[in-house]
Amino acid sequence: EAQVTQNPRYLITVTGKKLTVTCSQNMNHEYMSWYRQDPGLGLRQIYYSMNVEVTDKGDVPEGYKVSRKEKRNFPLILESPSPNQTSLYFCASSSQGLSNQPQHFGDGTRLSIL
Amino acid sequence: AQKITQTQPGMFVQEKEAVTLDCTYDTSDQSYGLFWYKQPSSGEMIFLIYQGSYDEQNATEGRYSLNFQKARKSANLVISASQLGDSAMYFCGYAGAGSYQLTFGKGTKLSVIP
């Protein structure tokens, strides 16, 4: 089954404790992306990757890091989480041609930073 | 980033009636794609429908259709014969050709009344 898998689905942690949210896709997609969703703000792009070892900032990259060492994986790293990073996070992937290919989304990760 | 506007924070519709969710976009791109996603209360993002800027016909997918008015820069989602399961958040998205960013509106919460 074609899917994007995020882990963990839920996490409650404390300020400053490094965490990683993993994302894996099995569709051989070149493009992957991370979004955060906050009430009243919709989905905002954090980082994206056009292919292995190629990443770039989205609209809200501050406080986040990413890496793309393998095509299927695109982890999101919070080196020193803060309460304003409490949010619902989505990973998504698509084949090249973002303007004519829908993105496949993971089920989301709810992060609470205390 | 391109600006996507969904002017209806919340909408109510009677079961079995049709409903239109508004989406306007601001762009100078000639080639682009427009997308609608549904987010039920369980949180996942479900792709509904796509419209390319050069498509002459309005896109349709089952009960979903996209009323695309290019000159007005609008891409409204029409849901026919609403069902209780249509109650959800709906997001409009835009991606320009050659872009690696998908920009979303802030969403419309649709509630279907029995």
Side-chain angles (χ1 to χ4, degrees), chain A residues 31 35 37 40 42-43 45 48 50 58-59 90 96 98-103 105 107, chain B residues 1 33 35 37 39 43-45 47 50 91 95-97 99-102 104-106:
Chain A
Y31 179 90
Y35 298 88
Q37 183 182 6
L43 284 89
Q45 192 176 44
Y48 59 92
M50 297 79 85
D59 295 321
F90 286 100
Q96 289 288 15
L98 197 61
S99 65
N100 57 15
Q101 297 287 337
Q103 291 191 57
F105 281 79
D107 287 339
Chain B
F35 303 83
Y37 286 82
Q39 186 180 41
E44 71 270 27
M45 294 287 287
F47 167 70
Y50 160 81
F91 292 97
S99 167
Y100 291 102
Q101 293 192 266
L102 178 59
F104 287 95
K106 294 182 179 181

Side-chain angles (χ1 to χ4, degrees), chain A residues 63-113:
Chain A
Y64 304 94
K65 285 177 56 176
V66 293
S67 67
R68 186 95 180 270
K69 300 190 187 307
E70 304 169 282
K71 197 172 189 179
R72 63 183 292 127
N73 296 324
F74 190 43
L76 179 70
I77 303 158
L78 285 72
E79 294 270 4
S80 183
S82 62
N84 65 10
Q85 293 177 297
T86 292
S87 188
L88 176 59
Y89 291 85
F90 286 100
C91 180
S93 74
S94 69
S95 54
Q96 289 288 15
L98 197 61
S99 65
N100 57 15
Q101 297 287 337
Q103 291 191 57
H104 298 255
F105 281 79
D107 287 339
T109 295
R110 285 198 180 275
L111 283 184
S112 292
I113 315 294

